[in-house]
Every structure is written in C-alpha cells, then in structure tokens.
Amino acid sequence: MIRRKTIASVLTTTAIAFCIAPTPARAADMASAAVPPDERDRGLQRDVKSALVADPALQQTHIAVSAEGGQVTLAGVVTTAAQRDRAQRNAMTVRGVRQVENAIEVTEP
C-alpha cells in the first residue's frame, strides 16, 4: 500500500523537476552552447550560402559568406542593388544570424 509520505515525496519531486526544466528556447540555447564556436560558424556560413543559392534571383551571382559569432559578412559583386538587398534579406532569415555586414558591390554587367 502506498503511504501518504511516498505520494507527497513523488509530487514534490515532480513539481521541482517541472520548475527547473528548461523552456524550449532555453534548451535550444543550451544545445547551441554545447557546439564549439568554429563548428557553429561553419554551420552558419553553410546555411547562409544555401539560402542565397536557393534564391532564383541570386543564381547568377558570386557572393562569398563568412560568419563569426552570429555576425555574417557578405562580399562579392552583383549587377543590381535589388540583388544586393535581397542577399542581405535572405541572410537575415537564417536562424542564428544576428547581424549582416553587406560588403557586396554593385557593378554593371
């Protein structure tokens, strides 16, 4: 037979566990903190490059991407200001990007 003391102990332990459990956002921060910074930067760089390549308006452009601590730098040459702006907007949509430095130059074809 289960005693009151046992039930109280189980309920107390469960309540404590729920109080200290991380929220989903905190859990994601904890998980990203476990990844070494160089790997995070390489992953972020790869994800931004993928976002740029996936955009049909940027197919014929050559844009280099570097990342460090959530700071992404875009460099290269495009033919229109719209492409330059679009590249920056695409980079900002990537998870983990905190700031984008846009060093892309616009030149005529």
Side-chain angles (χ1 to χ4, degrees), residues 10-81:
V10 168
L11 290 175
T12 302
T13 304
T14 303
I16 291 170
F18 278 108
C19 289
I20 62 173
T23 63
R26 177 74 177 124
D29 288 343
M30 291 167 60
S32 68
V35 179
D38 288 344
E39 276 187 48
R40 273 197 307 263
D41 292 341
R42 281 193 299 274
L44 188 57
Q45 181 180 4
R46 182 181 57 247
D47 293 346
V48 171
K49 282 183 182 179
S50 295
L52 298 178
V53 170
D55 188 334
L58 301 174
Q59 293 292 318
Q60 299 300 319
T61 62
H62 300 284
I63 300 172
V65 179
S66 63
E68 185 175 336
Q71 166 78 32
V72 171
T73 302
L74 304 176
V77 179
V78 295
T79 56
T80 67

